[in-house]
Amino acid sequence: MSDIHDEGGSVAEAVRDRLEAMTATERKAAHALLANYPAAGLAPVAEFAERAGVSAPTVLRFVAKLGFAGYPDFQRALRSELEAQSASPLVKAAGPGSRGAPPSAFDRFATAVMDNLQQTRRHLPPTEFEAAVDLVADTRRAIHLIGGRFTDALAGYMAAHLAIVRPRVEHVGSRTGVWRDHLLDMNRRDVLVVFDIRRYQEDVVAFAEAAAARGVTILLVTDQWLSPVARHAEHVLAGRIAVPSRWDSSVALLTLAEALIAAVTERLGPIADQRIAELEALRRGDAQ
């Protein structure tokens, strides 16, 4: 891979970083890849081109614009990402930050977390974040939040804050037996915020797909390799998660969630202020 890609990055990040510099036909190839990531790029170049509705030379120019020497180099990077996506805690190495890092375990870990935040900020398109804020701040829409085994805590945390500053917020929760009950009342005016990181949770992906089929708008918060939910998502916010540990870090995703909470609260302005004031009055009443 070209040295324009930072260590630990993904092809998806490179695509999103360079979209504005691409031609219209190259952007078609980019969107086709992101809509079925990374599978679309693992197909032969002619098949990728046909699915994207562009020529094979356009696909090769698109790949070159990402900094790859050729299509095989591009596919090797995608295959490497597939291995990273499915890595279990047993096979994860020390990870980012171990090379030349401070000697203490905490410093090494903290250095990696800070690098994750920096890289998340670097690769986050401002327009995508603002579109997410617009979506979540629209009080005409109901907001539902869901996550996987480890990320549902983030969904619950964000739901608890949003429920204070705007109406119609629901945390779907981890009880899969009642997920269909939630789907029953979801429609095209609703938004589903999904938290999902590697090793992507199949039931969460299936729930998002079922919601999308009902016309629900999907906002995905995921890692740099993109959950399969991305193919159904209207907006995607990706954060770095790898650290020198058997476990992935949710700090960057928590930062994205807290940034959304802060921006939505500011966007709602008097609506949020009134709800907070009413809640404080209710709490004072309970204390009397």
Side-chain angles (χ1 to χ4, degrees):
M1 192 181 294
S2 166
D3 60 6
I4 63 172
H5 302 285
D6 59 272
E7 183 179 358
S10 68
V11 175
E13 281 182 340
V15 172
R16 287 152 66 91
D17 287 348
R18 293 160 179 76
L19 266 177
E20 292 185 2
M22 294 180 185
T23 66
T25 52
E26 289 166 353
R27 281 196 294 271
K28 288 183 68 176
H31 290 307
L33 175 62
L34 294 177
N36 188 20
Y37 186 84
L42 295 172
V45 63
E47 184 177 331
F48 182 9
E50 182 179 359
R51 290 181 177 178
V54 299
S55 67
T58 294
V59 170
L60 296 179
R61 287 194 297 272
F62 160 69
V63 166
K65 193 156 285 186
L66 296 178
F68 293 101
Y71 201 68
D73 191 27
F74 166 73
Q75 290 194 314
R76 275 192 294 273
L78 291 177
R79 292 191 186 97
S80 177
E81 289 185 23
L82 280 177
E83 293 177 5
Q85 287 175 8
S86 59
S88 79
L90 287 175
V91 301
K92 287 178 186 172
S98 60
R99 212 169 27 185
S104 102
F106 176 78
D107 283 350
R108 185 167 64 251
F109 192 93
T111 297
V113 167
M114 288 187 289
D115 184 63
N116 281 347
L117 288 172
Q118 290 172 347
Q119 295 300 335
T120 297
R121 180 186 179 195
R122 174 186 171 192
H123 295 289
L124 180 67
T127 53
E128 191 78 341
F129 182 80
E130 287 303 316
V133 173
D134 290 342
L135 198 61
V136 179
D138 187 348
T139 56
R140 297 169 299 178
R141 296 174 176 268
I143 307 293
H144 310 265
L145 301 96
I146 192 171
R149 180 181 179 186
F150 296 113
T151 54
D152 194 56
L154 299 174
Y157 178 83
M158 185 171 174
H161 284 79
L162 291 179
I164 295 172
V165 300
R166 56 150 296 158
R168 302 172 67 202
V169 175
E170 184 173 17
H171 178 211
V172 176
S174 57
R175 293 176 56 208
T176 57
V178 298
W179 282 6
R180 291 185 183 87
D181 300 352
H182 288 280
L183 278 172
L184 188 63
D185 293 323
M186 295 170 69
N187 58 55
R188 64 182 62 255
R189 296 298 304 166
D190 292 0
V191 175
L192 176 65
V193 181
V194 181
F195 291 83
D196 191 33
I197 61 174
R198 70 173 179 183
R199 309 154 72 192
Y200 311 112
Q201 196 161 313
E202 292 181 2
D203 52 4
V204 172
V205 175
F207 184 87
E209 182 177 6
R214 296 177 70 86
V216 175
T217 300
I218 310 295
L219 166 60
L220 171 65
V221 185
T222 186
D223 54 36
Q224 65 263 40
W225 303 290
L226 304 187
S227 160
V229 174
R231 69 190 62 162
H232 309 293
E234 185 77 18
H235 302 289
V236 177
L237 303 179
R240 293 288 183 91
I241 63 170
V243 287
S245 167
R246 298 290 185 183
W247 311 103
D248 287 324
S249 168
S250 294
V251 171
L253 273 66
L254 175 61
T255 301
L256 287 170
E258 290 193 325
L260 275 172
I261 292 165
V264 168
T265 302
E266 290 303 310
R267 181 71 57 84
L268 290 172
I271 295 174
D273 290 345
Q274 181 178 352
R275 287 178 64 87
I276 293 171
E278 289 182 8
L279 181 58
E280 290 300 310
L282 289 170
R283 285 175 175 164
R284 287 194 297 272
D286 289 341
Q288 293 174 355

